[in-house]
Amino acid sequence: LGVVRDRYVNLQPEEFMLFAEKLEADGLLQIMELGQFGGGRELFIKCKLPGISFEINGGDKTDAYYMLRTSLDGTVSLHGMALLLRLWCMNQCPQKTLMAMAGLKGRIDFSGKHTASIHTKMHAAAQAIREVGQHFQSLGEYAEKMAGKQMSDGHFGAFSEYLVPNPEGENARTGKAEGIRASLFEAFKRSPGNRGETVWDAFNAVTYRNTFMASSRSDENRYKSLLGGANSRLANQAGQLLRVYVSSGIDGMSSYAEA
């Protein structure tokens, strides 16, 4: 049971499932996976958004997913966020990362207040999910630009140094930063679907590292970080840097530094 104070309108597990099934019946999503965080304190339902995808490079397909989350301890009433899933390697990232790169604005996530009615939460969820479909064509067009922009090993090295700089100060240890940059380069050149040649490869190197390679105490912690922790922030930073790279037409690392 989810026991909270009287003013909360908390979703019990059965109600949470019925909430997702109603959205599925309306044709907005397809339930794919159920799971939990924190030993059952938080539940999630991962859903595919039917017919919403883009494909580049003759088979490099990315699908839109949506994750619904709720808690049984009163900390989260109901939350939803869009995810991108690259099928070649199954790496994931929050869709708002790529939306920010493409300069798009829209409410593709939602958070229901504890005091909101179930009808209010349903309306907010449906509206946010529809926003995903409205933006996806633009996301695909921007991904094509990324795939058409060449990136040399030297440029990727400069990008990764801006993304994960060495710590400053006397006696600062650089091993952790160097290890992250090494894993990013490995993903840039050798992760499934990557050839280590384009900005799209660079973006997917970051999301692949966050999904599969980032050090963590557990797979659960790594996944939660991917959704909204340090790994999510790393992806957002990468998006900002790569947007500069795509839009500026820069050539050479000195120009990259100036940009």
Side-chain angles (χ1 to χ4, degrees), residues 6 15 33 38 57 77 83 88 107 118 128 156 169 209 248 257:
D6 292 342
E15 293 173 315
E33 181 182 343
N57 288 340
S77 176
L83 298 170
W88 265 353
R107 189 62 188 266
I118 191 67
F156 185 83
R209 179 262 173 192
S248 64

Side-chain angles (χ1 to χ4, degrees), residues 97-98 100-103 142 146 149-151 155-165 181 184 198-200 202-203 206 232-250 252-253 255-259:
T97 299
L98 190 52
M101 290 177 65
Y142 192 79
M146 295 166 71
K149 182 75 173 182
Q150 294 297 303
M151 192 173 215
H155 282 165
F156 185 83
F159 157 73
S160 64
E161 287 180 9
Y162 274 87
L163 183 63
V164 188
R181 293 196 297 268
L184 288 172
T198 68
V199 175
W200 178 242
F203 175 72
V206 177
S232 175
R233 292 191 292 272
L234 188 73
N236 290 338
Q237 288 177 279
Q240 294 171 5
L241 289 171
L242 292 174
R243 183 180 182 187
V244 171
Y245 196 100
V246 170
S247 62
S248 64
I250 56 179
M253 285 182 281
S255 296
Y256 183 78
E258 293 168 5

